[in-house]
Amino acid sequence: MIKAAFFDMNETLLNLSVLKQTFDKYFSDDYVVKYWFAKLLHTSTVIGITEDYKNFGELSSAVLENIFYEQQKEFTSVIKEDILGAFKKLPAYDDVAESLQKLQEHDVKVIAVSNSSLAMMQEQLTNAQILDLFDNYYSVDAVQRYKPFQGIYQYVAKEEGLAVQDVVMVATHDWDLTGAKQAGLKTGYVTRKKEIYNPYYKQADYRAESLLDLVDKILAS
């Protein structure tokens, strides 16, 4: 029986449209946001493998500067604040509030788990007007190892007094779900973008095109 749902935030719950519009002010490449996130994931993974840690703000800023450098574009503190500021103001998808409320109505804990800092998580959830729909939220800063390393999933389950097999991790990122499943959690994949789920990653237990449909499948299991 599922007792709690852990949620990734960026792109799973929060729509990246505002961030893309901000990037479009400086780049004409439709894939630059995806490239930024890919480089961020690569950087955080290398940092983790080498048993080092820098917080998400440090990594995101360094990777952002590198992207501007690659494109031979000027990068200033004003530009950095413009882009990273937009990252804090992402709106929630239309199906998020109803989905989270439905889980709570069925006594399933709703918990956010993110690579961002606690302060940034609070700001993002507040700006998206969904903070009050969460029972709790956790940052990887607590274990100083980014998702998809197993530590954060197991840490949150332990802090909440939950057995990992009673938790489902919900994300639109196959790499995130692979880490969660390796840690012993159930996993739920919501399709937020046109992308093939990596066939060499651990496959999700639940899949749906919308968050509401995914929640229904989780509750019916």
Side-chain angles (χ1 to χ4, degrees), residues 107-194:
D107 297 319
V108 176
K109 279 187 174 182
V110 175
I111 298 168
V113 181
S114 176
N115 281 341
S116 299
S117 68
L118 279 178
M120 184 168 179
M121 291 177 71
Q122 183 178 34
E123 191 168 359
Q124 284 186 301
L125 294 172
T126 299
N127 288 336
Q129 301 182 333
I130 55 173
L131 178 64
D132 60 345
L133 297 177
F134 285 86
D135 295 293
N136 215 337
Y137 53 95
Y138 291 85
S139 164
V140 295
D141 286 347
V143 296
Q144 297 202 340
R145 195 65 63 90
Y146 287 93
K147 298 188 293 179
F149 288 95
Q150 297 178 48
I152 187 60
Y153 311 105
Q154 295 169 337
Y155 171 83
V156 176
K158 184 177 180 180
E159 286 293 302
E160 293 290 329
L162 298 161
V164 289
Q165 62 268 25
D166 295 332
V167 179
V168 59
M169 179 72 204
V170 176
T172 191
H173 308 294
D174 50 10
W175 54 266
D176 196 351
L177 298 184
T178 292
K181 196 157 189 178
Q182 184 68 28
L185 284 69
K186 299 283 197 309
T187 55
Y189 180 74
V190 58
T191 305
R192 293 299 199 197
K193 52 191 182 296
K194 191 173 181 61

Side-chain angles (χ1 to χ4, degrees), residues 36-170:
W36 181 49
F37 275 113
K39 285 181 74 70
L40 261 176
L41 179 60
H42 176 265
T43 303
S44 63
T45 302
V46 171
I47 292 275
I49 289 171
T50 56
E51 299 184 349
D52 196 358
Y53 188 73
K54 301 294 180 185
N55 67 45
F56 186 79
E58 292 173 296
L59 295 190
S60 59
S61 178
V63 172
L64 187 61
E65 182 176 5
N66 191 41
I67 290 174
F68 273 79
Y69 180 79
E70 289 177 14
Q71 298 296 318
Q72 299 181 329
K73 292 179 178 291
E74 180 184 26
F75 184 70
T76 67
S77 59
V78 173
I79 293 173
K80 180 173 77 170
E81 181 55 37
D82 188 28
I83 292 175
L84 298 184
F87 194 38
K88 299 174 183 178
K89 299 173 183 176
L90 305 177
Y93 285 101
D94 292 340
D95 58 359
V96 169
E98 186 177 353
S99 299
L100 302 185
Q101 289 167 346
K102 194 167 192 177
L103 286 167
Q104 291 182 324
E105 288 167 1
H106 287 79
D107 297 319
V108 176
K109 279 187 174 182
V110 175
I111 298 168
V113 181
S114 176
N115 281 341
S116 299
S117 68
L118 279 178
M120 184 168 179
M121 291 177 71
Q122 183 178 34
E123 191 168 359
Q124 284 186 301
L125 294 172
T126 299
N127 288 336
Q129 301 182 333
I130 55 173
L131 178 64
D132 60 345
L133 297 177
F134 285 86
D135 295 293
N136 215 337
Y137 53 95
Y138 291 85
S139 164
V140 295
D141 286 347
V143 296
Q144 297 202 340
R145 195 65 63 90
Y146 287 93
K147 298 188 293 179
F149 288 95
Q150 297 178 48
I152 187 60
Y153 311 105
Q154 295 169 337
Y155 171 83
V156 176
K158 184 177 180 180
E159 286 293 302
E160 293 290 329
L162 298 161
V164 289
Q165 62 268 25
D166 295 332
V167 179
V168 59
M169 179 72 204
V170 176

